[in-house]
Amino acid sequence: MNHSPPIPRSIQELPDELISQIAAGEVVERPSSVVRELVDNALDAGAQNITVRLIAGGTRLIAVEDDGHGMHADSLSMSIKRHATSKIRNLHDLESVSTMGFRGEALAAIASVSELTISSRTHIDAHAMQLQARTGELQAAARSQGTSIEVKELFFSTPARRKFLKSEATELAHCLESVQRHALSRPDVGFSIWHEGKTIEQWRAQSGEQAHDHRMRDILGDEFLDQSLAVDHLHGNIRVQGRVGLPDFARSRADHQFAYVNQRYVRDRVIMHAARSAYEDFLHGQRQPVYVLFVQIDPMRVDVNVHPTKIEVRFRDSREIHQAIRHAVESTLATPRSQNHAPFNEHSRAIADLRSFGNTNSDSTHASLNTWRQSRMELNQGSNAVDDLQKLWTPSAQATAPLFAQNPTSNYQASTSAFSSDQDWPLGKAIAQLHGVYILAQNHAGMVIVDMHAAHERIVYERLKQQLDGQGVQSQPLLIPTTFAATDQEIATAQEFQEVIQQLGLDIAPLSSKSLAVRSVPVNLLQGDAVALSRSMLSELAHHDSSTVIDRAQHELLATMACHGAVRANRALTIEEMNALLRKMETTERSDQCNHGRPTWRQLTHKELDAFFMRGR
Ligand SMILES: Nc1ncnc2c1ncn2[C@@H]1O[C@H](COP(=O)(O)OP(=O)(O)OP(=O)(O)O)[C@@H](O)[C@H]1O
Ligand SMILES: [Mg+2]
């Protein structure tokens, strides 16, 4: 067959309107994109209050009103031109941009796919002016200083796009999310959202130090505030602030992760990875942490001009960002939460306030927190008596006096003279053991319940990790090696991973072609079942090829070891042993969660206990 090549069509410039419609395809995907752009503009105009009105999920109408600086009449027509902006003038401005907008594209794009009307007035104008984008018609209008933009019938001229819209409820939810993202980073601005003539959200402008917390509470709820920790961390020139959810508050989806770079909401892989990796030690599965993180960085070190919707950014040095975020989140999570409890010199005030505050993380406790931490550190330096939790296993522990009854070092006495002799520890004094599983303790705030295995497991794990990071896991030869019948695979694994196994404080060597001998075990796991421990280590190692047995795998192996080493359920503990465990928890990093991210302890406050029994009603 004779194929004649197609005749090339002549190259022509596209008409302006089509150019805008093509550009709009990237910028305006759905009503929420319009909301985002209009709120961006309102914030850039210095608005204090922003009102968003929607009809039919934003498909019929999106109106955004602000009280910002407004536009002069001559700027109105310019504002809908493509590549026309008041925000940057040259490349240098672009490289250090601090406004949300900079392309001069949003209004042009929106105007090309909707009926757009802008009314605006500056503080020197006698009255407002209104522009109909489609006709270019300008007329006088009534409004005070600021700008109102109305977007009607989105995608009316591009039915193909319109077809992709989801239900009104879904579009509304996206619009709402879009405003939430802005509102979380700008608590100083008031927002209200209306749908079909009714207010659906209203967030008042906040000021002062607690502004962000108030706004997060408004948007993410009380639970988020109660189940998260404040982050404030400086790493070189990068500041990371915000709140990170406790590991047990994690979700199955990554839908509550808000990250901002210089107040711009972003979905950034580096940030998300860094934050998730900070939870690695708590969340082994697919669970997703919840957080709101604000990253402040020199604008020159981040390029915001890489994505049509500006939701992605590119960092000059993504490693420094990764480190800053990981470190900020990690160190926040590592501090035992029990340290946030009031020390004893707050006792009487706490009791007096109990009915009103109930929350032991109250501000009033923070002032003395540092004194308490300081005294704890001094005490730890002065005494190792229960530092070694071996004592949980040995009968001699029962003869050991509890930590708080010991002769205080002079240091300790000096710095804690305000403490009562009836010492009040953050996690309280042990009272009893429940069903061989839980420790019940009493502290000033009420009752503490501890999952003893989970807590001890964490402590052992942290100890092993510390050793591994230092000189290696401390190992102790067994007087009489323990032998066990082993499979071929177990023997092969023991030989192949001999070095790794030794780093982990174990010595497992072939005894015959059918048996292995355990000759040393980690000091911290002396009392555990050496055979069970060895078997599970070998089975886990068999799943790794040697190159992957690094860092993370090692930590997982340590976690397995810790589980073997931790005090088992149904083992009766003496009060002294229980107290020793509580004291150790108070000073062990990450002790609030077991190695699988579940909580190790819970506080029941007086208020909650009273509520059970309807006291004071
Ligand atoms: N609410 C507003 N108040 C005052 N001026 C506004 C408002 N909205 C838009 N403008 C003016 O109109 C111009 C064009 O807005 P548009 O959103 O199209 O572009 P931009 O914000 O400059 O950049 P981008 O396309 O990145 O958003 C802005 O630069 C600004 O001067
Ligand atoms: Mg803009």
Side-chain angles (χ1 to χ4, degrees), residues 18 28 72 107 142 181 202 210 322 333 403 429 460 462 541 582:
L18 186 54
V28 187
H72 278 308
L107 290 183
R181 289 172 178 176
Q202 181 136 38
Q210 304 292 313
H322 195 279
L333 293 172
L403 185 55
K429 291 201 291 184
V460 175
E462 290 297 325
L541 280 168
L582 297 179

Side-chain angles (χ1 to χ4, degrees), residues 36-42 44 84-85 87 100-107 110 310:
R36 179 193 61 233
E37 294 295 344
L38 298 185
V39 176
D40 267 359
N41 283 346
D44 283 345
T85 180
K87 300 176 189 175
M100 296 291 136
F102 51 80
R103 305 158 305 182
E105 201 158 29
L107 290 183
I110 296 167
K310 296 178 264 186

Side-chain angles (χ1 to χ4, degrees), residues 43 113 127 163 170 206 247 257 259 283 408 414 571:
L43 290 172
V113 289
H127 56 77
K163 269 199 288 196
T170 304
Q206 304 286 345
Q257 300 181 343
L283 302 176
R571 185 181 177 287

